[in-house]
């Protein structure tokens, strides 16, 4: 009986380890999601200053044929693709039962890397509300940031589900974390709290 229990624990550990390994090998794909708020900021600046700055003018004229809608459309397709990738990752992580701690750490890192872009977008968005001509750009910034929030929210929600499947928490204990993942600002706070609890539990189990 003890041998069977040991075998079950060994197989489970190997499964989680393999899931974490596969996630790390594909981690570069998460850069797609991290870049969303930065690209939305750069897009608005490029369009607004395309007639005032030679660099932005060169980009608009030679890459996007002087069409702002072409640039915005390209960004939209990029965001849709990144969101689809995050959905695929989320589903795969749950199916393969990736290690919750490693997965949460990766997604939390993504969220932290996006904070500077969110701050800049917030400041830039306020500036853009000064004139009626630039108000649509402010709305556009918020729209594209929602893609970033949705993408990281889906990924961390999957990590929370895995944590419950792996016996770290009961669903009712961490349901609030999933809900908070789709609210700006508090999503990062919830992710930090969740990761801290998960890490402490892992350290206690090791001891």
């Amino acid at each position: 009986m003890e041998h069977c229990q040991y075998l079950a624990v060994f197989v489970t550990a190997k499964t989680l380890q393999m899931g974490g390994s596969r996630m790390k090998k594909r981690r570069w794909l998460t850069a797609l999601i991290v870049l969303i708020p930065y690209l939305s900021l750069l897009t608005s600046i490029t369009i607004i200053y395309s007639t005032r700055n030679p660099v932005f003018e060169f980009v608009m004229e030679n890459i996007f044929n002087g069409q702002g809608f072409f640039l915005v459309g390209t960004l939209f397709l990029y965001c849709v693709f990144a969101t689809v990738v995050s959905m695929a990752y989320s589903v795969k992580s749950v199916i393969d039962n990736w290690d919750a701690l490693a997965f949460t750490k990766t997604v939390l890192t993504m969220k932290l890397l996006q904070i500077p872009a969110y701050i800049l977008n917030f400041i830039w968005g306020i500036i853009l509300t000064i004139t009626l001509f630039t108000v649509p750009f402010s709305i556009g910034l918020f729209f594209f940031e929602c893609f970033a929030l949705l993408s990281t929210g889906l990924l961390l929600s999957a990590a929370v589900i895995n944590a419950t499947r792996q016996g770290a928490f009961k669903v009712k204990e961490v349901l609030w974390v999933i809900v908070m993942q789709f609210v700006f600002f508090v999503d990062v706070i919830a992710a930090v709290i969740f990761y801290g609890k998960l890490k402490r539990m892992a350290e206690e189990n090791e001891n």
Side-chain angles (χ1 to χ4, degrees):
M1 185 67 180
E2 292 181 357
H3 291 292
C4 292
Q5 290 178 342
Y6 174 79
L7 180 61
V9 171
F10 178 78
V11 172
T12 301
K14 280 296 181 181
T15 301
L16 295 178
Q17 185 179 5
M18 288 172 63
S21 177
R22 287 195 296 268
M23 177 187 66
K24 290 179 180 179
K25 290 179 180 179
R26 298 178 177 86
R27 187 177 293 178
W28 63 272
L29 287 176
T30 60
L32 288 169
I33 302 166
V34 173
L35 289 174
I36 291 176
Y38 290 96
L39 291 177
S40 62
L41 175 64
L42 183 60
T43 296
S44 64
I45 293 176
T46 300
I47 295 175
I48 292 174
Y49 288 95
S50 60
T51 58
R52 308 176 189 176
N53 184 285
V55 175
F56 295 134
E57 182 180 3
F58 176 84
V59 172
M60 284 296 298
E61 294 297 331
N62 293 275
I63 300 178
F64 299 101
N65 198 30
Q67 300 296 321
F69 288 108
F70 185 27
L71 174 55
V72 173
T74 301
L75 177 62
F76 176 74
L77 292 176
Y78 177 93
C79 290
V80 170
F81 176 72
T83 304
V84 171
V85 169
S86 71
M87 289 180 180
Y89 261 54
S90 301
V91 173
K92 182 172 178 57
S93 69
V94 173
I95 294 175
D96 292 347
N97 197 24
W98 288 356
D99 177 43
L101 181 60
F103 194 22
T104 301
K105 182 179 180 180
T106 299
V107 182
L108 178 58
T109 301
M110 293 165 57
K111 286 179 174 291
L112 294 176
L113 288 174
Q114 288 179 330
I115 289 178
Y118 281 132
I119 294 175
L120 292 173
N121 277 332
F122 178 75
I123 297 173
W124 182 235
I126 292 177
I127 296 174
L128 292 177
T129 59
I130 296 177
T131 65
L132 290 176
F133 171 74
T134 53
V135 167
F137 290 97
S138 180
I139 298 174
L141 283 175
F142 176 76
F143 173 74
F144 287 114
E145 283 181 354
C146 287
F147 279 101
L149 180 68
L150 176 62
S151 297
T152 57
L154 289 171
L155 291 170
L156 197 77
S157 295
V160 173
I161 293 173
N162 286 349
T164 60
R165 294 177 63 193
Q166 294 161 19
F169 301 100
K170 293 181 179 178
V171 176
K172 63 180 180 180
E173 295 177 330
V174 289
L175 183 60
W176 67 275
V177 179
I178 295 178
V179 175
M180 291 299 101
Q181 288 314 296
F182 304 99
V183 181
F184 283 107
F185 180 69
V186 293
D187 67 310
V188 179
I189 297 176
V192 170
I193 294 174
F194 175 71
Y195 176 71
K197 290 182 177 180
L198 197 59
K199 187 176 182 180
R200 281 195 299 271
M201 292 185 67
E203 291 174 348
E204 291 174 359
N205 292 332
E206 288 179 356
N207 298 330

